[in-house]
Amino acid sequence: AIYTAPASATLALVFVAGYIESSIYGGKMTMLDMFEGDGAKRNPGDLDFGKQFLPKDAAAAYDLKLKELSNGRLAMLAFAGMVHHYLVVKGPLFPLIPEGWTGPQGSWNLDS
């Protein structure tokens, strides 16, 4: 996707992600500075929002975090399997989609 997006959109995305990351760490920009002081107490991936949706019970919250972590790992394995299939078979990334299919463009009657 990075090669299909315009350069300005990619640059804007990198800037916004860097701004969010820097503001979370109080303006610190380097890896050496980020994990000192309050930054060392922050869990990876914790952007300090969404915690109000966690259960109040510590065991239930831990269970929910573990499920989220497991599902993320499963998704990464699934994606790696798709890429491996593409590299080994040299076939379509999604084998259930017929060859040459361009999508539903033109098949929907939107004039009505």
Side-chain angles (χ1 to χ4, degrees), residues 41-108:
K41 299 175 189 170
R42 185 177 83 103
N43 290 328
D46 183 11
L47 299 178
D48 206 24
F49 62 89
K51 291 182 181 178
Q52 66 269 20
F53 302 111
L54 282 176
K56 303 298 181 207
D57 180 31
Y62 176 78
D63 187 47
L64 193 61
K65 288 178 183 179
L66 185 62
K67 288 177 184 177
E68 183 71 24
L69 187 62
S70 298
N71 286 336
R73 288 177 177 165
L74 182 62
M76 287 188 284
L77 279 173
F79 183 75
M82 291 169 39
V83 170
H84 185 260
H85 168 80
Y86 177 75
L87 293 174
V88 170
V89 178
K90 307 258 189 279
L93 189 58
F94 297 102
L96 298 177
I97 297 175
E99 192 69 34
W101 186 71
T102 59
Q105 296 87 356
S107 63
W108 297 339

Side-chain angles (χ1 to χ4, degrees), residues 1-74:
I2 194 167
Y3 299 112
T4 60
S8 59
T10 304
L11 183 63
L13 181 65
V14 168
F15 177 76
V16 168
Y19 176 76
I20 291 171
E21 197 68 27
S22 175
S23 65
I24 288 171
Y25 284 110
K28 297 177 180 177
M29 296 297 289
T30 67
M31 292 292 288
L32 298 174
D33 296 335
M34 285 182 172
F35 300 111
E36 294 176 352
D38 291 338
K41 299 175 189 170
R42 185 177 83 103
N43 290 328
D46 183 11
L47 299 178
D48 206 24
F49 62 89
K51 291 182 181 178
Q52 66 269 20
F53 302 111
L54 282 176
K56 303 298 181 207
D57 180 31
Y62 176 78
D63 187 47
L64 193 61
K65 288 178 183 179
L66 185 62
K67 288 177 184 177
E68 183 71 24
L69 187 62
S70 298
N71 286 336
R73 288 177 177 165
L74 182 62

